[in-house]
Every structure is written in structure tokens, then in C-alpha cells.
Amino acid sequence: MYRHGVGGYPTERPVLMHTWNTFTVHLRQRFGQRVQKIPLDAGASCPNRDGTLSRAGCTFCNAIGSGSGLGLAGMNLPAQWEHWREHFRKSNRASLFLAYLQSFSNTYGPASRLAAMLEIFRTLPDLAGVSVGTRPDCLDPEKMAILGTAPWKEKWLELGVQTLNDATLRRINRGHDAAASAKAIELAEKTNVQVCAHLMLGLPGETPDDVHATVRRLNALPVHGVKLHNVYVCRNTALERAYRAGEYVPLTEDAYVELAVDALTELRPDIIIHRVVADPAPGELVAPDWATRKGDLVRFIQHAYHRRCGGA
């Protein structure tokens, strides 16, 4: 592993500048100051959980969804906002924030639900913009028009693309095909909303060539941002059952770093990189252990990127 110096990577912590087009820098350039993202749980559902498509969910998906879990605890959106706003004002000295509807599929259901949530956001103090997480098959022109006409300067659609390989999408019980992702991205282009495509590296059965093919297809679509996720095994998922049966082996740390750098160097340089590693919630991780070392992993990716590009 890199921390032990394998593959030419240093064991000491390297001091590196940003190398790719980062979301943090993008927001600072737009607003002239740090903008902190606040995760919000609006109690959304998912067609892959409620029986519309399936009740099993995607093979990798935690049944309680990603995010803080504050919504499940009964805290409404303004209360969640105030909780995190005060936290980040103290910890990061932030004074401007981006509301991120993170858990499950936040455009699922009637368009009026999305409109109501955005109306609530109008009351939130220090709000710079919104970011809405969803699936490609939970969008339509009416919903995109609602998001597109929202008043904030910064508006993002965080789209769970995961991969543009149809065989992999079937394997992970995703419930939609690659064409659905392309259609959603092209729909968003017609509105004043930027698209951040989420890509998962290390999905069951996927090869590096499959990942490269997805990146090439994304480059040809009107995406503005990409978020990279290392696949890790969550408790109480189909992927955990496959892992314990020896049917799924997560990527090694070395393999993920190299694959992430492949993606970073192949993506169009104008694409904003929102994140390069996933961040398991406390208590949900089964494997691999290296997924908990987010800070180290980011530094290893930075160093590998520098080395690949001739900068180190």
C-alpha cells in the first residue's frame, strides 16, 4: 500500500497544490469566499426500494440511504440546516452554504414535492445555491423547469450515473440503462442547471476498460462536474452477501488510486471534480479497510496524478 512506499509513492506526506479542476476552487471563484456544502435529508424514497422497480435496491446501497440520517431522526429541513450551519460556522468559519439534498432520490414523486422543498430553501439564511441528488429515471421536463427557474446563482443536479455500461447496470440491479443517464443529462442542459455525474469505480464485474469507456462517453455529454466513488461494501446489502460468499472482491487501494487517476486525466479539463473518494458513514463499512482513510487516499491520488502528468 502507498503509505508503506510501494510503487514509488513516498511514506511521508507530500505537499501538493491542486492539480485538477476542483469544486472548492470553483465555488471560491464564483462567490469570492469559501462555500460549505450542507447535507440534507428530506425523507425521499427510491423506485428501486418502494417496489416500483424493485424492493431490493441497488446491490451496493445502504438501506437507510446516504447522508446524515437527521431526517430519519425527525429533524425537518430548516432544523437540519441550522444544525449544520452552526457546526460549520464554528469548525470551518464558513458564512455561505450550499444546500445538498443527498439521501435517496430527491426528484422522485410528484413535481410539487420538489417545488415545496425549494420553497423551504428560500427561508434558509446564508444560502448560496442548491444541489439535488437523484437517479436518472426520476426526472422529467416539469421537474427540471422547477429547478432551472429557482432563484439561486449556483444550481446542481447530482446524478447517480454510476456507470454507462448496461451489463454492469443490470448486474448491480440499478433499474435503468445507460440511455436513461444520457437522456437526463441532455434534459438538464436545456435548463440553467449544472450536472454532476457520480461514477463508481470498482463495481462488480467492471474492468478498467469499462471505466475508460464510461469516461469517454461522459466526455461527449454536456456534464459540468464529476464525483468519483470508490466502491466499498456496506452492511446489510446484497454486495455484502456477495463479498462474504467470495463472489465480490473490492479494489485494492493501489488499484483504486490508479483507476481514479486514469479518470481524472481522461475527463475533459473543463469538468469540475467534486470529489475523488467516497466517505463511509460510521458503522456501515464491511470492506475494504482502506476506505476509512480518506485523507491519505486523496493525497495518494494527488501524488499519482502529479507523477502521471510529469509534475513530480
Side-chain angles (χ1 to χ4, degrees), residues 211 219 267 278 283:
V211 173
N219 278 338
L267 286 165

Side-chain angles (χ1 to χ4, degrees), residues 14 37 41 79 98 103-104 126 130 144 201 243 249 276 303:
K37 205 171 186 181
D41 177 359
L98 191 73
S103 299
F104 289 116
D126 303 322
V130 297
M144 286 310 309
L201 309 185
Y243 169 74
V249 179
V276 294
H303 185 86

Side-chain angles (χ1 to χ4, degrees), residues 282-304:
E284 75 172 350
L285 181 69
V286 174
D289 290 345
W290 58 262
T292 62
R293 299 189 286 268
K294 180 179 178 181
D296 285 342
L297 193 57
V298 171
R299 286 190 293 272
F300 298 149
I301 292 171
Q302 287 177 328
H303 185 86

Side-chain angles (χ1 to χ4, degrees), residues 2-297:
Y2 294 132
R3 59 182 45 79
H4 301 303
V6 173
Y9 291 85
T11 54
E12 70 276 7
R13 178 178 297 184
V15 178
L16 298 170
M17 61 181 288
H18 283 303
T19 48
W20 48 82
N21 188 10
T22 71
F23 190 49
T24 299
V25 170
H26 162 77
L27 290 175
R28 188 175 291 275
Q29 289 173 342
R30 290 269 280 168
F31 295 95
Q33 61 178 288
R34 176 189 178 93
V35 180
Q36 176 69 51
K37 205 171 186 181
I38 288 182
L40 297 172
D41 177 359
S45 185
C46 174
N48 216 17
R49 285 279 179 192
D50 69 3
T52 301
L53 296 174
S54 168
R55 294 194 182 277
C58 303
T59 59
F60 55 80
C61 185
N62 187 329
I64 63 171
S66 60
S68 66
L70 294 182
L72 289 173
M75 192 178 289
N76 65 22
L77 289 175
Q80 291 178 54
W81 180 262
E82 195 59 28
H83 168 85
W84 288 114
R85 176 172 166 264
E86 287 305 307
H87 170 79
F88 288 124
R89 286 176 68 179
K90 293 176 181 177
S91 63
N92 294 344
R93 298 182 180 179
S95 60
L96 204 56
F97 303 90
L98 191 73
Y100 178 25
L101 288 168
Q102 182 178 21
S103 299
F104 289 116
S105 302
N106 290 279
T107 62
Y108 184 44
S112 58
R113 181 180 180 278
L114 176 62
M117 286 190 291
L118 296 182
E119 279 300 311
I120 291 172
F121 286 173
R122 289 175 181 266
T123 70
L124 302 180
D126 303 322
L127 178 64
V130 297
S131 189
V132 179
T134 193
R135 289 166 54 96
D137 55 352
C138 293
L139 291 166
D140 57 45
E142 183 182 6
K143 292 170 184 174
M144 286 310 309
I146 290 169
L147 187 54
T149 56
W152 300 284
K153 183 177 179 180
E154 193 79 6
K155 291 176 288 190
W156 285 89
L157 185 70
E158 299 222 15
L159 200 63
V161 173
Q162 322 308 12
T163 177
L164 291 173
N165 184 298
D166 281 337
T168 305
L169 290 169
R170 289 190 295 271
R171 196 178 297 121
I172 64 175
N173 195 43
R174 185 64 181 167
H176 65 75
D177 59 11
S181 293
K183 180 180 178 181
I185 292 166
E186 289 162 355
L187 178 63
E189 185 190 20
K190 300 174 184 177
T191 66
N192 187 29
V193 179
Q194 301 179 90
V195 175
C196 175
H198 291 212
L199 295 185
M200 301 186 75
L201 309 185
L203 288 168
E206 281 233 318
T207 67
D209 285 345
D210 294 328
V211 173
H212 298 164
T214 287
V215 169
R216 288 193 299 270
R217 291 184 66 183
L218 266 187
N219 278 338
L221 292 168
V223 297
H224 306 84
V226 164
K227 183 178 284 186
L228 300 181
H229 299 252
N230 46 298
V231 176
Y232 55 85
V233 181
C234 285
R235 297 189 188 283
N236 303 315
T237 61
L239 195 60
E240 180 187 11
R241 293 191 291 275
Y243 169 74
R244 296 199 184 282
E247 297 166 358
Y248 174 71
V249 179
L251 291 177
T252 66
E253 185 178 60
D254 296 37
Y256 180 75
V257 168
E258 294 301 326
L259 198 53
V261 173
D262 286 348
L264 291 169
T265 55
E266 291 169 2
L267 286 165
R268 297 192 322 261
D270 63 289
I271 289 176
I272 300 164
I273 307 301
H274 288 228
R275 192 173 68 185
V276 294
V277 298
D279 196 8
E284 75 172 350
L285 181 69
V286 174
D289 290 345
W290 58 262
T292 62
R293 299 189 286 268
K294 180 179 178 181
D296 285 342
L297 193 57

